[in-house]
Amino acid sequence: MTLSPARVPAAGVRRLTGTLYGYAFLHDLIPLYPVYALLFGDTGLSVWQISSLFALWSVTSLVLEVPSGVWADAVSRRMLLWLGPLLTAAGFALWVLVPSYPAFALGFVLWGAGEALGSGALEALVHDELDRLGAAGRYARVMGRARAAGLLGVMAAMGVAGPVLALGGYPAVGALSVLAVLLSAAVATRFPEHRGPAAGGDGWAAPLRAGLARVRADRSLRGALLLVPTVTAVWGTLDEYTPLLARETGVPDEKVPFLLLLVWAGATAGGLLAGPAERLGPRGLAALLAGAGLALAAGAATGSPAGLVLVALAFGGFQLATVLADARLQERVDASARATLTSVAGLGTGVATVAVYGSYAVLGTATGHGTAFTWFAVPYLLTAALLWARSGRRLPPKGSSRR
């Protein structure tokens, strides 16, 4: 008996997506997320020391973002996907075994390095494997579901953190977090990878040189590369301030987590809608960004708990736009430098995120959280207007490919 040719790719897609969704869920199933700031405070750290830890975390990720992408294109992407969680697990273990400022600092360096190793490598591996199976057109759908799985992991971690902390304290929360990260590393070893290390003697810098040369020569690729941080950085930073926005509406602190779950449910729904929305053109993406920006401004400006429904709707739109922006980039980049250029986009997102943190500190202090959220809708409205104008100025000829 012979297998139908169509069944082999279908089995390959199922293996890839099943591994991806399990990896994404476990990667974010970290009960330490909602309580690590409490751990730092209970250890006696000052606000300045805690802020310096966050800065160290960000700097580590920024410094290693592009080198890790170049490494992923030069060696095995799957190897980086299981190596990164091992570094993160070591950092979490340090936090609960020897809680102190030096241990927290080293833990953040390990965590930042672990995240940098996976950034770019994951997207590149998934796209190339789908392309090998003849299913590259499903990339947005698959990555949207993967992001939704990760957000489900975040929400599950938020749900178990309190009970586990009450039963076993920080050591129990840390042990459960280390276990989840180690399981994600084990799952990562099951990723299929039908691509060997880069051949030739040009060294690891060859993918970076080739990728940047392609960016300089291809205006469409430059636009796709810039779109990723433009779409991702603002809402990816605002999510850190949603608890303060919820508290500002006047609800008791014990009800804040329920409002946050509503916001994250909206973001999860946005990821799941990536499949039906993957055919959106530039004007469709512009309309999506404009609608989400208006929902963010209107919801934040109400100053009421009901306004968080609109904020949740906005986060769903931003999550969907983030997946679509990544898909546009993957369509245009060459496979040999895919992880490298995805990491370049990640570097841009990191730099923009730092700028948003600084801007929010000024706006939030001067105007309050609701007004600050409203102002941060403006970049999305400007981006939407620019996309709409450019799509009308230069339409592709009939019969041309999307690339």
Side-chain angles (χ1 to χ4, degrees):
M1 182 179 70
T2 59
L3 291 175
S4 166
R7 292 185 61 187
V8 175
V13 170
R14 285 196 298 270
R15 177 190 171 189
L16 173 65
T17 56
T19 303
L20 174 64
Y21 302 153
Y23 176 81
F25 178 80
L26 291 169
H27 185 268
D28 286 330
L29 183 64
I30 310 298
L32 270 172
Y33 280 165
V35 301
Y36 64 69
L38 303 179
L39 170 62
F40 301 158
D42 291 345
T43 306
L45 268 63
S46 66
V47 174
W48 182 89
Q49 288 176 309
I50 295 174
S51 299
S52 69
L53 290 175
F54 291 154
L56 180 62
W57 187 22
S58 299
V59 169
T60 301
S61 297
L62 287 176
V63 169
L64 297 178
E65 181 73 47
V66 173
S68 67
V70 174
W71 193 20
D73 281 329
V75 295
S76 166
R77 293 162 179 168
R78 178 174 57 196
M79 181 186 74
L80 269 63
L81 291 176
W82 62 255
L83 179 60
L86 296 184
L87 298 179
T88 302
F92 290 162
L94 276 174
W95 286 2
V96 295
L97 291 176
V98 283
S100 60
Y101 183 84
F104 296 147
L106 180 55
F108 267 123
V109 169
L110 291 171
W111 191 3
E115 292 296 302
L117 289 180
S119 176
L122 179 65
E123 294 86 350
L125 184 147
V126 172
H127 189 281
D128 283 355
E129 287 300 314
L130 286 174
D131 191 32
R132 184 186 67 84
L133 296 167
R138 297 182 58 186
Y139 176 80
R141 180 190 306 267
V142 168
M143 291 305 293
R145 291 176 178 175
R147 289 178 180 271
L151 291 175
L152 289 175
V154 171
M155 291 189 286
M158 292 172 64
V160 303
V164 173
L165 183 64
L167 288 174
Y170 293 117
V173 176
L176 189 58
S177 300
V178 169
L179 176 61
V181 175
L182 291 177
L183 287 175
S184 74
V187 170
T189 63
R190 293 184 49 81
F191 273 116
E193 185 176 27
H194 295 80
R195 167 192 172 278
D202 292 334
W204 290 358
L208 180 59
R209 289 196 299 269
L212 293 179
R214 175 75 186 276
V215 170
R216 288 192 296 268
D218 189 338
R219 181 178 179 183
S220 175
L221 177 56
R222 285 200 304 274
L225 192 68
L226 291 171
L227 185 62
V228 172
T230 302
V231 170
T232 307
V234 173
W235 85 274
T237 304
L238 291 181
D239 70 3
E240 301 288 349
Y241 298 97
T242 49
L244 301 175
L245 177 68
R247 174 188 281 176
E248 195 176 71
T249 65
V251 299
D253 283 356
E254 60 269 20
K255 292 188 178 180
V256 168
F258 296 104
L259 291 178
L260 297 184
L261 285 175
L262 172 66
V263 172
W264 286 114
T268 303
L272 293 174
L273 289 172
E278 61 189 348
R279 295 187 181 276
L280 283 179
R283 289 198 167 186
L285 183 57
L288 173 65
L289 288 174
L294 291 173
L296 176 67
T302 63
S304 69
L308 270 295
V309 175
L310 287 175
V311 175
L313 181 63
F315 272 41
F318 295 144
Q319 177 72 281
L320 175 56
T322 297
V323 176
L324 296 179
D326 173 52
R328 287 164 64 92
L329 175 62
Q330 301 304 329
E331 284 180 355
R332 289 160 174 79
V333 70
D334 185 77
S336 63
R338 188 178 304 281
T340 299
L341 290 185
T342 304
S343 290
V344 170
L347 175 63
T349 300
V351 172
T353 296
V354 173
V356 175
Y357 275 129
S359 302
Y360 192 98
V362 175
L363 278 173
T365 302
T367 66
H369 299 288
T371 303
F373 268 68
T374 302
W375 273 108
F376 275 108
V378 173
Y380 288 109
L381 299 178
L382 294 176
T383 302
L386 180 61
L387 282 173
W388 188 277
R390 290 190 63 181
S391 66
R393 188 187 319 139
R394 185 168 61 89
L395 295 175
K398 290 186 66 175
S400 65
S401 67
R402 283 191 296 171
R403 182 173 301 180

